[in-house]
Amino acid sequence: MSERPTAHSIEEVYFFLMLSPCTSCDGGPLDAEQVQRESESASFRTFQFQCRCRQCGTKHALRFPIASQDDHPHDPPVVNPDSEPSQLIDVAQWLTLFHLLTSKAAQTRDKSESRRLGYEAALCLDEALKFYEPDNELPPESAFFSDRTREHLRTQPELFVRRRLVDLRSKLPDLTVMRRLIQSNTKKPWWSFWKRD
């Protein structure tokens, strides 16, 4: 069983699983079928996620230390209320999630689902922007956690210009407004929406 860096919340782990490849088939993503708290310390709780690859069906057990002291996912999700960037998902992956979610939002005819997906997309942009240093239009190399995503920075730096992300974010409504609308129409757990193909 593999253990990952500390996450800020259970929600952050669900976002991580959206991009996680299967070690058996290199496909995915991984769907969490069961989540169980294993241990607790003063600074974090450790959870075991029993996951299944959506493509080949292989089961995976992943262990995540989670800093949040709240055992239950929020609806709508609250990934990280602090200014500290993720240790689990890098800046390129947050942008990938943003594009994945906005694409799903554009494809759905359900207004409430589209609103929810737009909210999640806005969260992803907000998390990506946490990696940027003051007065620097590009994120530092430390904001990229793998050779593959660092290669994206080297070959396509224009994708990571801060102004581009800010412009994308300005096209989405305020999170507080979206959260209020989603809460008034909540019918099922938020993570079930991204499981749809």
Side-chain angles (χ1 to χ4, degrees), residues 101-117 193 196-197:
L101 292 164
T102 53
S103 176
K104 283 196 171 190
Q107 293 169 9
T108 183
R109 296 182 179 180
D110 185 316
K111 289 184 179 180
S112 63
E113 182 176 350
S114 178
R115 185 183 300 121
R116 179 183 292 272
L117 290 166
F193 284 86
R196 296 183 179 179
D197 290 326

Side-chain angles (χ1 to χ4, degrees), residues 19-31:
L19 296 177
S20 296
C22 173
T23 55
S24 295
C25 71
D26 203 35
L30 303 181
D31 290 331

Side-chain angles (χ1 to χ4, degrees), residues 19-174:
L19 296 177
S20 296
C22 173
T23 55
S24 295
C25 71
D26 203 35
L30 303 181
D31 290 331
E33 297 185 330
Q34 185 178 5
V35 181
Q36 182 177 4
R37 189 173 72 186
E38 286 191 334
S39 62
E40 182 175 350
S41 71
S43 56
F44 61 84
R45 294 178 178 180
T46 300
F47 290 80
Q48 182 183 140
F49 285 68
Q50 296 291 340
C51 305
R52 183 188 296 271
C53 173
R54 196 183 302 175
Q55 184 165 311
C56 72
T58 299
K59 293 184 178 181
H60 301 268
L62 301 174
R63 182 180 288 117
F64 295 86
I66 299 179
S68 171
Q69 295 301 299
D70 190 345
D71 284 4
H72 305 287
H74 299 88
D75 195 8
V78 178
V79 175
N80 175 14
D82 301 324
S83 60
E84 177 186 329
S86 175
Q87 301 176 44
L88 193 63
I89 303 172
D90 73 13
V91 63
Q93 291 173 313
W94 282 121
L95 289 178
T96 298
L97 285 167
F98 165 77
H99 290 296
L100 173 66
L101 292 164
T102 53
S103 176
K104 283 196 171 190
Q107 293 169 9
T108 183
R109 296 182 179 180
D110 185 316
K111 289 184 179 180
S112 63
E113 182 176 350
S114 178
R115 185 183 300 121
R116 179 183 292 272
L117 290 166
Y119 170 84
E120 293 168 26
L123 284 179
C124 293
L125 279 182
D126 286 351
E127 292 303 313
L129 285 164
K130 290 179 181 180
F131 286 95
Y132 288 73
E133 298 171 345
D135 304 320
N136 197 332
E137 280 297 297
L138 287 175
E141 191 163 328
S142 61
F144 299 83
F145 300 163
S146 70
D147 291 338
R148 183 177 59 83
T149 57
R150 280 188 286 271
E151 181 64 19
H152 289 326
L153 175 63
R154 287 190 288 270
T155 59
Q156 296 178 292
E158 67 278 3
L159 297 180
F160 302 100
V161 174
R162 185 207 301 264
R163 175 47 52 190
R164 176 177 176 271
L165 271 65
V166 171
D167 288 345
L168 288 171
R169 181 64 184 86
S170 69
K171 296 175 183 178
L172 296 169
D174 178 76

